[in-house]
DNA sequence: CAAAAATTTGACCAGTTGGTAAACGATTGC
DNA sequence: GCAATCGTTTACCAACTGGTCAAATTTTTG
């Protein structure tokens, strides 16, 4: 018999865990792990601090849960890239989906970025087990496309990293983008990114 | 008579301030402002904590001094871009210099990135006064080149941001790059970045 | 060298922070 | 209806952190 009984969570547990994770996303993404305090998260969640710790084992637990759930969301667009589709349009579709995510989920992007910048101390395992295999698989797909002459010859790994760099930049460096461009850079960004990668990838 | 006598710093002051700033760069860049402690910085600098505070007014003072000095270094390559040179080669030269900086000065890059990700709370003024004017000026230069047909038509602001995004990615996301690519991605990165921007910019 | 100035240190402090214990309320299953 | 479980709060603490201060030590200067 398994000694870790799953004990299906009650409605109230589901609701409060969700509230906590949402509050934690807000706070962690704008102050970093160390910069965030349980009091801040508790207040943002509308709960008391000891109440937080009734639902999670501690600050690290909240953070880890958040990052873990995030990785799936974050990689979903890449998973959708279809090896049997039209190469250029599959890649451009991925790029636009990723760019859209940066506008729609900047907190998630910054949480991720902050963690990686600091050496991913609480995420190394997830990167190895979650990100690496998918990354390698998609690199193979892209290499296949390029070898078949359906794309310009390109280094798949560095292509993917460039895509992440450019698209996530709009979320992660929002403070800088805001200072440097007008209030509505979204359409311009879309056009620019489209042109940049299309010119690189067109065979 | 000016009441804030400059009082030229002694050899010992110069040396220790340098040691402190170097230690602070190490610690701040890998733990963020809030995550860094004065004790950590003091230990890395080989000084006692009260001794740190003899040279700087406090944690914020150290951080601000660091960021302030950094912005100049960071923008130097952009300043070097010569409006009267060959457009494509000036831009590609800038790109390669910026990429080189990411490999040579990853701590500086991460310090900057961490600050901007968290909304640049201690840097807004510097961005407005130091970065914005240079950015606008160089955008005008690039626009001029493009209008003259010496470059492919391109959005100057988003071009510059793309350059930053791609080049700094190798420093800021080093932990991720390390997991995903082999141990020597430097030459590959160079080739990829060159190809990407050359294909975008060639008229 | 001796006085003055600069530098360094040890002891200390007040505020913050992650986390705990136990009592108190609310739900739920029977 | 009522006991048992679940959920919440109050009061609290030990560790850490940024910062102070006066004394001690070293360096510079006349």
């Amino acid at each position: 018999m398994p000694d870790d009984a799953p004990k299906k969570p009650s409605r109230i547990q589901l609701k409060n865990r969700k509230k906590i994770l949402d509050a934690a996303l807000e706070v962690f993404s704008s102050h970093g792990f160390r910069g965030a305090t349980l009091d801040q998260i508790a207040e943002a969640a509308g709960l008391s601090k000891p109440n937080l710790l009734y639902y999670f084992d501690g600050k690290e637990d909240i953070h880890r849960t958040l990052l873990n759930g995030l990785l799936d969301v974050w990689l979903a667009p890449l998973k959708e890239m279809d090896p049997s589709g039209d190469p250029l349009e599959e890649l451009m579709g991925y790029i636009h989906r990723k760019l859209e995510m940066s506008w729609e989920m900047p907190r998630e992007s910054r949480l991720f970025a902050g963690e990686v910048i600091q050496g991913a101390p609480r995420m190394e395992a997830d990167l190895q087990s979650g990100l690496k295999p998918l990354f390698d698989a998609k690199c193979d797909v892209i290499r296949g496309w390029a070898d078949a002459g359906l794309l310009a010859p390109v280094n798949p790994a560095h292509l993917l990293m460039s895509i992440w760099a450019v698209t996530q930049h709009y979320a992660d460096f929002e403070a800088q983008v805001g200072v440097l461009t007008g209030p509505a850079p979204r359409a311009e960004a879309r056009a620019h990114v489209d042109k940049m990668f299309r010119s690189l990838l067109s065979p």
Side-chain angles (χ1 to χ4, degrees), chain A:
Chain A
M1 73 179 191
D3 61 351
D4 56 349
K7 291 265 178 57
K8 59 173 164 182
S10 68
R11 250 162 297 141
I12 223 169
Q13 264 187 30
L14 241 43
K15 188 189 60 174
N16 278 350
R17 280 182 71 98
K18 200 173 179 70
K19 277 207 297 186
I20 292 169
L21 288 177
D22 188 62
L25 173 60
E26 180 68 29
V27 177
F28 278 134
S29 67
S30 47
H31 299 289
F33 176 76
R34 186 60 154 53
T37 72
L38 288 182
D39 293 281
Q40 279 178 295
I41 299 174
E43 194 195 335
L47 298 173
S48 67
K49 181 168 60 171
N51 208 168
L52 280 199
L53 297 166
Y54 173 77
Y55 290 101
F56 290 90
D57 285 342
K59 195 182 181 182
E60 287 234 13
D61 186 30
I62 301 177
H63 194 250
R64 194 175 22 247
T65 304
L66 211 49
L67 282 176
N68 238 299
L70 175 56
L71 198 56
D72 292 334
V73 178
W74 216 236
L75 293 180
L78 184 55
K79 283 198 185 112
E80 287 176 33
M81 209 171 64
D82 182 4
S84 64
D86 175 67
L88 186 58
E89 288 319 307
E90 284 297 323
L91 271 166
M92 293 308 301
Y94 171 57
I95 288 164
H96 283 292
R97 254 174 283 143
K98 203 77 180 57
L99 184 57
E100 204 61 30
M101 278 181 72
S102 276
W103 296 114
E104 298 300 330
M105 307 167 71
R107 299 180 308 176
E108 284 84 346
S109 187
R110 281 193 286 264
L111 176 70
F112 192 82
E115 179 67 11
V116 176
I117 282 185
Q118 299 192 358
R122 274 168 283 274
M123 253 194 101
E124 238 188 288
D126 291 313
L127 291 184
Q128 285 286 356
S129 67
L131 177 56
K132 185 72 159 63
L134 180 64
F135 180 81
D136 288 341
K138 293 304 178 178
C139 278
D140 286 343
V141 170
I142 295 171
R143 203 184 336 272
W145 285 339
D147 287 348
L150 301 169
L151 285 179
V154 69
N155 184 312
H158 290 267
L159 168 65
L160 285 178
M161 291 192 295
S162 296
I163 291 171
W164 296 343
V166 171
T167 55
Q168 291 176 13
H169 183 87
Y170 289 102
D172 300 343
F173 289 74
E174 193 182 317
Q176 200 185 53
V177 174
V179 167
L180 296 180
T181 71
R186 203 156 155 175
E188 293 172 13
R190 225 180 121 82
H192 168 78
V193 170
D194 189 276
K195 182 186 295 183
M196 180 163 67
F197 285 105
R198 216 173 271 278
S199 73
L200 170 65
L201 296 172
S202 295

